[in-house]
């Protein structure tokens, strides 16, 4: 039987984060949920059960706010086994020449800085449990897309995940970079029902954390079948 894991999820109020929380709790794990909107998190906790989930609203780009999330989770559950750095955003104007620097700044804050803050704040706890760090990159972080600043941020995430896996291996920790293709979430203005579903990514997270401890699933690359 798989050991129950205590899992922190950023960007947990919708899309991939929400689907992952539901999938993990259904499989017997417990979750610490954070996102900016407390009301959405509270609804999710009501669905999952207060014994299984804790919601702490925070802006993941704010180091001090995220630190409070980690501390609250440890206070409730006593340890941390997995951190899933899933919070992310896109931009509305593609290309470098026509791009909006203010939008780029916000993108870097959430897609890069929040990822770093999550790792910095959770690694001491993960070291204690020989735990697991998981992050959401993208197919856009593995292939070239003309003028894509978003893609460049996901290249950072992809490279960071590979490097972090080497760092964590020194003390028996595991790191998984998940690189999905297009996922049908609110990220897009129009629904994409022929693309991946958030539950597909959630099941990839579950697969990675439930793998035998000797097996470090370092990367999962997901693409729609059609």
């Amino acid at each position: 039987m798989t050991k129950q894991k205590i899992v922190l999820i950023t960007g947990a109020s919708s899309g991939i984060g929400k689907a992952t929380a539901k999938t993990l709790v259904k499989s017997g794990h417990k979750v610490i949920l954070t996102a900016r909107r407390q009301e959405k998190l509270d609804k999710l906790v009501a669905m999952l059960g207060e014994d299984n989930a804790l919601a702490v609203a925070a802006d993941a780009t704010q180091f001090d706010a995220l630190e409070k999330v980690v501390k609250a989770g440890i206070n409730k559950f006593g340890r941390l086994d997995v951190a899933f750095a899933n919070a992310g955003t896109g931009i509305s104007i593609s290309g470098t020449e026509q791009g909006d620097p203010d939008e780029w700044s916000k993108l870097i804050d959430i897609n890069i800085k929040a990822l770093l803050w999550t790792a910095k704040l959770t690694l001491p706890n993960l070291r204690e449990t020989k735990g697991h760090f998981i992050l959401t990159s993208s197919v856009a972080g593995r292939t070239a897309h003309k003028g894509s600043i978003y893609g460049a941020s996901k290249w950072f995430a992809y490279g960071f995940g590979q490097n972090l896996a080497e760092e964590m291996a020194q003390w028996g920790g595991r790191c998984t970079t998940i690189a999905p293709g297009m996922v049908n979430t609110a990220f897009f203005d129009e629904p994409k029902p022929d693309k991946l579903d958030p539950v597909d990514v959630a099941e990839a997270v579950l697969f990675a954390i439930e793998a035998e401890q000797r097996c470090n699933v370092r990367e999962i690359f997901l693409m729609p079948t059609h």
Side-chain angles (χ1 to χ4, degrees), residues 61 87-93 100-115 148-154 187:
T61 69
T89 190
I91 54 179
S92 60
I93 303 173
D100 180 350
D102 289 335
E103 203 170 30
W104 294 349
S105 182
K106 292 176 182 177
L107 179 87
I108 289 168
D109 281 347
I110 189 67
N111 288 8
I112 295 179
K113 289 183 180 179
L115 170 59
S148 177
I149 306 302
Y150 167 80
S153 75
K154 289 302 184 177
F187 184 89

Side-chain angles (χ1 to χ4, degrees), residues 104-131:
W104 294 349
S105 182
K106 292 176 182 177
L107 179 87
I108 289 168
D109 281 347
I110 189 67
N111 288 8
I112 295 179
K113 289 183 180 179
L115 170 59
L116 293 174
W117 300 167
T118 305
K120 171 71 174 176
L121 290 166
T122 60
L123 282 175
N125 299 289
L126 297 178
R127 183 187 285 268
E128 291 181 6
T129 58
K130 290 190 175 180

Side-chain angles (χ1 to χ4, degrees), residues 156-177:
F156 176 90
Y158 184 83
F160 177 71
Q162 304 305 303
N163 293 349
L164 184 60
E166 295 292 335
E167 181 179 352
M168 294 178 68
Q170 297 177 99
W171 42 266
R174 302 189 291 176
C175 180
T176 303
T177 299

Side-chain angles (χ1 to χ4, degrees), residues 23-83:
T23 296
L24 295 184
V25 169
K26 184 178 179 180
S27 299
H29 304 293
K30 295 183 184 293
V31 293
I32 304 159
L33 309 174
T34 188
R36 288 175 298 174
R37 293 165 289 190
Q38 184 72 50
E39 65 278 4
K40 287 198 170 187
L41 293 173
D42 289 343
K43 289 180 181 179
L44 186 53
V45 169
M47 180 191 306
L48 300 175
E50 291 186 1
D51 291 340
N52 300 317
L54 171 69
V56 185
D59 182 342
T61 69
Q62 302 300 312
F63 188 90
D64 291 347
L66 201 54
E67 185 175 31
K68 292 177 182 177
V69 175
V70 176
K71 288 180 178 179
I74 296 295
N75 286 340
K76 179 174 176 67
F77 294 117
R79 69 177 196 276
L80 183 67
D81 300 304
V82 183

